[in-house]
Structures are given as C-alpha cells and as structure tokens.
Amino acid sequence: MPRIQDDSINTIEIKKSKFITYLHRTKDEQEAKEFLKKIKKEHPQATHHCTAMIIGNIVRSNDDGEPAQTAGHPMLDVLLHNNMEDILAIVVRYFGGIKLGTGGLVRAYSSSVQEALKKSTLTEVCTFKEYEMIFPYDCIGKMDQYFRTRNIEILFKDYQEDVIYHYVVQNDITEDLMEITNGNVLNEYIQDIDIETPLDTMENT
C-alpha cells in the first residue's frame, strides 16, 4: 500500500476559484485533526477546508459546507483508487465568484488531489531478505560490479580472513553468486526485513 514520502502542497485554479491541496502523512487521527486546525489557521479567509483521510481502519471525508458528496467524497475516491494509506488530504478552496455546479465541484476536488499525488513521491513497504555471504578477496571486483549493476543494497562489508557482505534482496541470488565465484561462496539467509522504498526506484531483485 503506497504512502507519501513527505508532505506536499499543490495549487490549481478553476474558473477563478483557487484549490490548495495539502497531503499530510500520518498514522494518528488526533494528529491529523491538529494538522487540519493548523491549516485552517493559515487560511482563515478560505471558503471551505474539505478533507479525506485513510488512517488504518479510519476511512472518512468531509465536505465542509460544499454540496453533499461533491468535495470530500471525490477526494477520498482518489485516495482509495490509488490504494493510499496513512494519509490526510485537505483541499482549501477560495471561491472565485463563479459557481462550478455539482459536476464541476466533483471534478475540481478530485483533480486537486490527483494532481497533488502526481507531484508527490510515493513509497511502499516491501519485505526483503537479508543474507550474509562469505567469499575470497579475488572475487571483490566481480561481486561489486554485480551488486552495483543490479542496484542491490549492501548493508555492510567486513574484511576478515575472507570478505563478508550483508545484503538485501527480494529474490534468492545464490545461483548467480555461485557462478561468479566458481562455487567458492557461502551464502546464508539471516532474516526478513521491511524496507520503505520509493515506488519509482523500486527494483525487482
């Protein structure tokens, strides 16, 4: 399930109405309420402060005075469609004097959140396997090249009688390591670990 890496702000203007979207990462409903209070203080003259949140089992939206189902619900639909979690979306609207109509409001609020998500870095927690491998010094060059070209993260390196690497992958690469070292490698699974990774840089190792 994706999360936003950092809080973000995005503004769009539709028929002179300004829509300012705040995406806030949070795991706590009370903290989300405090963040909303902060945004309301920053925009006391705004016409509406509409919200949508997905925090654990809490899935909720608020139209804040807009016609029913035209603001918070479309915002929430965008979050649900993108499978987001641990997120609060706030759209602050400054009315520009031109009414948008029911359909126009739905499009405006959903577009506001969609645009903000597009400009955000999304992350996902994936389970990786940590391994320890022990191999001879004359294989360091080939090993380093293999790990570098496949963007496999090495947690640490230790240089004892032999070389010791700890690394994390999603798929077992023992066969590759055996081939690189002509079978002269000890590769041992240590544990599963969860790593939060930007979605646009996730690899399939």
Side-chain angles (χ1 to χ4, degrees), residues 146-162:
Y146 174 84
F147 279 79
R148 183 172 57 253
T149 56
R150 286 162 179 78
N151 293 319
I152 300 174
E153 182 180 2
I154 299 174
L155 298 179
F156 70 86
K157 302 177 179 180
D158 192 15
Y159 302 95
Q160 304 284 336
E161 184 175 339
D162 289 309

Side-chain angles (χ1 to χ4, degrees), residues 42-180:
E42 291 180 8
H43 298 277
Q45 303 302 318
T47 320
H48 305 281
H49 307 82
C50 304
T51 59
M53 68 174 72
I54 302 174
I55 303 173
N57 294 322
I58 301 168
V59 180
R60 189 178 301 153
S61 64
N62 190 301
D63 295 311
D64 192 40
E66 292 280 32
Q69 306 295 302
T70 63
H73 189 71
M75 292 164 59
L76 184 60
D77 276 348
V78 172
L79 299 182
L80 290 169
H81 179 74
N82 287 275
N83 299 312
M84 300 301 297
E85 66 177 355
D86 297 340
I87 189 170
L88 165 68
I90 303 170
V91 176
V92 176
R93 182 190 182 189
Y94 285 90
F95 182 54
I98 301 174
K99 291 186 178 181
L100 302 182
T102 301
L105 285 172
V106 170
R107 287 190 294 273
Y109 280 99
S110 59
S111 296
S112 296
V113 176
Q114 189 65 56
E115 287 297 317
L117 280 177
K118 284 180 181 178
K119 294 184 178 181
S120 300
T121 299
L122 303 185
T123 67
E124 192 163 38
V125 175
C126 293
T127 300
F128 286 76
K129 298 182 183 299
E130 179 184 353
Y131 285 85
E132 177 186 78
M133 67 175 186
I134 303 173
F135 60 95
Y137 277 82
D138 59 7
C139 295
I140 288 179
K142 290 181 179 179
M143 282 296 192
D144 285 349
Q145 181 181 13
Y146 174 84
F147 279 79
R148 183 172 57 253
T149 56
R150 286 162 179 78
N151 293 319
I152 300 174
E153 182 180 2
I154 299 174
L155 298 179
F156 70 86
K157 302 177 179 180
D158 192 15
Y159 302 95
Q160 304 284 336
E161 184 175 339
D162 289 309
V163 184
I164 302 172
Y165 282 6
H166 276 225
Y167 65 91
V168 290
V169 287
Q170 288 184 293
N171 301 313
D172 189 356
I173 59 171
T174 301
E175 286 188 14
D176 289 350
L177 302 180
M178 294 291 282
E179 184 176 339
I180 292 171

